[in-house]
Amino acid sequence: MNIFKLRLCLPLMLGALVAGCGGEAVKPAAPPPVVQSPPPKITVGLALGGGAAKGFAHIGVIKMLEANGIEIDVVAGTSAGSVVGALYASGMSPYQMQQQAFALDEANIRDVSLFSGGLLKGQKLQDYVNQLLGQKPMERFAKPFAAVATRLDSGERTVFVRGNAGQAVRASSAIPGVFEPAPIGRHRYVDGGITSPVPVDAARQLGADMVIAVDISNKAAGNRPGHMLGIVNQSIVIMGQRLGEEEMKRADIIIRPRVGQIGPADFEHRNVAILEGEQAAQALIPQIKARIRELQAARTEAERPKPEPTPACESSWFGRRLGRDDCKRN
């Protein structure tokens, strides 16, 4: 009798159980959100070449790089490039540099010194740069900075990264025959364009993964300078041209503002030089961003965990006793 009642009640119990579960279906737990890791940091270096008054073009280049979100981490400069590079690395914005460029009075950087190895001493240039920097030494700059000069007694390239910024800029800009050699310690230094016209290698030494080089020099290709400063500048270009070509090959991007029409002493054309720098940089922004993405992808791939290697197969003791190769069987 009890078994009979149980058989009658069992369907009713099952029906009640199903009815009790007749609400909303149980949904599976949502998978955890995928967190996208930020792209790896690529240290971007800027190598600013020499070119006297053409150096104002560097300001235009920096303006366009910043306007397009290209972050510069380290800066190296030669000659005129060391002047702009020091101001920028110290924390000055490109618009502040442009204001200083327009306000520049050439009398503030000219100190005539006849019969002493150059027409100009260079002390005024040193003092002018240090004044703009607030007497800040290079190791206190917002970005790592290097000024490249040439040691007069040995012809060796010298890279300054610490100490008196104005003094380093003076040494890097000491055009032979125009400026006196700059004394630093026991040595005297002349223009860095003789040994490193565009300091790509110095930017690499500062830790750059990628170097954007800015070349404002005139190639020695039939140009006929008509005054002494132009002749001296052209001579430096000739001396450093072969070395510069080799060093430029180690840059990732080369920006060449069209400033060939501007003479080394044409300070009145500073606005034209800045505009040419802006146009040349803007034209290469897509290439610069593409190169950064390429380096980021390569670094991401290099940092991805590698699968564990498959252990080498060894025949078992039993297999070796029978003369059997278990690895081939597997």
Side-chain angles (χ1 to χ4, degrees):
M1 185 69 179
N2 292 335
I3 296 175
F4 179 73
K5 288 182 178 181
L6 180 62
R7 287 179 178 177
L8 289 175
C9 294
L10 185 59
L12 297 174
M13 294 170 62
L14 291 175
L17 181 63
V18 171
C21 298
E24 293 184 1
V26 178
K27 297 180 180 179
V34 178
V35 179
Q36 292 287 347
S37 299
K41 170 65 179 173
I42 299 300
T43 301
V44 180
L46 187 62
L48 305 177
K54 299 179 182 68
F56 292 108
H58 293 316
I59 298 174
V61 169
I62 295 171
K63 282 177 64 178
M64 286 301 101
L65 292 177
E66 287 206 348
N68 286 275
I70 308 297
E71 181 182 354
I72 301 300
D73 301 292
V74 301
V75 186
T78 289
S79 198
S82 73
V83 179
V84 176
L87 299 180
Y88 181 51
S90 74
M92 193 175 290
S93 74
Y95 293 96
Q96 289 174 320
M97 290 191 292
Q98 180 170 289
Q99 290 176 345
Q100 293 296 338
F102 291 151
L104 174 62
D105 183 350
E106 293 177 58
N108 292 334
I109 59 174
R110 286 183 177 176
D111 43 3
V112 178
S113 175
L114 298 175
F115 312 114
S116 61
L119 294 177
L120 305 175
K121 291 180 181 179
Q123 184 64 49
K124 273 195 171 184
L125 174 63
Q126 175 178 326
D127 295 341
Y128 174 74
V129 171
N130 279 332
Q131 177 187 352
L132 293 179
L133 298 175
Q135 308 301 323
K136 189 185 300 182
M138 288 184 282
E139 59 268 25
R140 290 179 49 203
F141 282 4
K143 305 175 189 291
F145 170 69
V148 179
T150 304
R151 215 172 95 177
L152 184 59
D153 59 351
S154 65
E156 294 178 356
R157 183 190 71 130
T158 302
V159 180
F160 295 101
V161 296
R162 298 179 60 83
N164 189 317
Q167 192 176 46
V169 168
R170 174 185 177 182
S172 181
S173 307
I175 302 172
V178 178
F179 284 92
E180 292 180 1
I184 299 179
R186 297 177 299 168
H187 303 289
R188 296 193 301 165
Y189 297 88
V190 293
D191 195 285
I194 298 172
T195 51
S196 183
V198 184
V200 175
D201 292 343
R204 296 280 186 199
Q205 288 176 313
L206 291 175
D209 301 312
M210 168 183 171
V211 176
I212 301 171
V214 186
D215 181 16
I216 56 173
S217 64
N218 279 343
K219 302 304 177 186
N223 298 319
R224 295 184 179 182
H227 49 81
M228 191 193 72
L229 183 56
I231 293 171
V232 171
N233 188 68
Q234 184 81 330
S235 300
I236 292 175
V237 169
I238 293 170
M239 287 187 286
Q241 189 163 308
R242 184 62 58 86
L243 287 173
E245 288 172 357
E246 290 301 314
E247 189 169 359
M248 293 278 277
K249 292 177 183 178
R250 296 187 281 275
D252 295 88
I253 301 289
I254 302 174
I255 300 175
R256 289 190 169 99
R258 300 176 62 180
V259 289
Q261 76 282 6
I262 300 176
D266 292 342
F267 286 86
E268 67 274 13
H269 292 152
R270 64 197 78 180
N271 188 45
V272 174
I274 292 172
L275 290 174
E276 291 292 348
E278 292 177 5
Q279 294 174 9
Q282 185 63 44
L284 291 179
I285 292 298
Q287 293 183 32
I288 294 171
K289 291 185 174 181
R291 180 57 177 160
I292 292 174
R293 290 193 298 268
E294 180 183 341
L295 293 173
Q296 287 174 331
R299 179 164 294 179
T300 299
E301 181 62 27
E303 294 175 351
R304 183 170 297 161
K306 301 295 187 294
E308 292 292 331
T310 304
C313 179
E314 293 185 4
S315 296
S316 66
W317 176 87
F318 186 71
R320 292 196 300 271
R321 295 289 291 178
L322 296 178
R324 185 176 66 195
D325 190 346
D326 292 335
C327 296
K328 290 184 179 180
R329 290 167 61 85
N330 294 333

